[in-house]
């Protein structure tokens, strides 16, 4: 027997559900026994879905696109590691930075993330401003 407590319109009811035979449930509410008739559920047969077999030819295999290698220019972009909002830009064009130096702060998933320089060099371009939303992989700054 399963027992439940219900509060309806401010009144507390102690309900015990006993045996269920066919569509009749034996229920006790605050010590008073009741026979409750439940609605019969109709059992519907599940019909299988028949799909026609396709006789269309298989699509041609895709050919990967090969991009030509770009010659190294000594410049590299510091990319956003995940999508977020720029909270603070700590460098400007022309600043000298060291590898590991914090260059900006990115808020992502309600956490502040330090974005560090990936190499020593000079800031050639700052591609974002405070408050900008960025996607993962966006070049934030260019270091030469």
């Amino acid at each position: 027997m399963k027992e439940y407590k219900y509060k309806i319109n401010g009144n507390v009811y102690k309900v015990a559900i006993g045996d269920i035979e066919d569509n009749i449930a034996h229920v006790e509410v605050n010590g008073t026994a009741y026979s409750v008739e439940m609605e019969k559920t109709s059992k519907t047969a599940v019909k299988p879905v028949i799909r026609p077999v396709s006789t269309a030819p298989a699509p041609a295999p895709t050919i990967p696109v090969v991009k030509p290698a770009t010659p190294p220019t000594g410049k590299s972009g510091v990319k956003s590691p995940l999508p977020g909002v720029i909270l603070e830009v700590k460098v400007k064009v022309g600043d000298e930075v060291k590898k590991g130096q914090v260059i900006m702060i990115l808020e992502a998933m309600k956490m502040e993330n330090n974005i560090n320089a990936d190499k020593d060099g000079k800031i050639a371009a700052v591609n974002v401003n405070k408050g900008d939303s960025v996607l993962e992989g966006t070049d934030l700054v260019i270091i030469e």
Side-chain angles (χ1 to χ4, degrees), residues 81-102:
L82 58 166
V85 176
I86 303 298
L87 292 182
E88 185 177 351
V89 179
K90 296 188 172 223
V91 294
K92 59 184 179 301
V93 175
D95 287 354
E96 291 287 332
V97 294
K98 297 284 184 193
K99 182 176 182 177
Q101 177 181 339
V102 177

Side-chain angles (χ1 to χ4, degrees), residues 1-121:
M1 183 175 286
K2 294 183 181 180
E3 293 187 9
Y4 302 93
K5 286 188 178 178
Y6 294 103
K7 190 172 190 177
I8 303 172
N9 293 332
N11 298 322
V12 177
Y13 297 93
K14 183 177 176 185
V15 178
I17 300 175
D19 296 331
I20 300 175
E21 299 169 3
D22 292 325
N23 66 329
I24 304 293
H26 299 283
V27 178
E28 190 175 295
V29 179
N30 289 343
T32 306
Y34 296 95
S35 290
V36 178
E37 184 177 353
M38 297 183 293
E39 184 177 309
K40 287 187 178 184
T41 58
S42 62
K43 295 182 180 179
T44 57
V46 177
K47 295 181 183 178
V49 176
I50 300 172
R51 294 192 174 120
V53 177
S54 175
T55 57
T62 58
I63 300 170
V65 177
V66 179
K67 295 181 181 177
T70 55
T73 60
K75 294 182 181 181
S76 68
V78 176
K79 298 187 182 306
S80 174
L82 58 166
V85 176
I86 303 298
L87 292 182
E88 185 177 351
V89 179
K90 296 188 172 223
V91 294
K92 59 184 179 301
V93 175
D95 287 354
E96 291 287 332
V97 294
K98 297 284 184 193
K99 182 176 182 177
Q101 177 181 339
V102 177
I103 56 175
M104 63 183 57
I105 298 175
L106 172 77
E107 178 188 15
M109 298 183 288
K110 304 221 184 241
M111 293 187 63
E112 292 183 8
N113 299 280
N114 290 337
I115 307 298
N116 301 326
D118 58 354
K119 67 177 188 176
D120 293 349

Side-chain angles (χ1 to χ4, degrees), residues 126-138:
V126 178
N127 298 332
V128 293
N129 296 309
K130 181 179 178 179
D132 287 354
S133 293
V134 295
L135 297 175
E136 181 177 352
T138 303

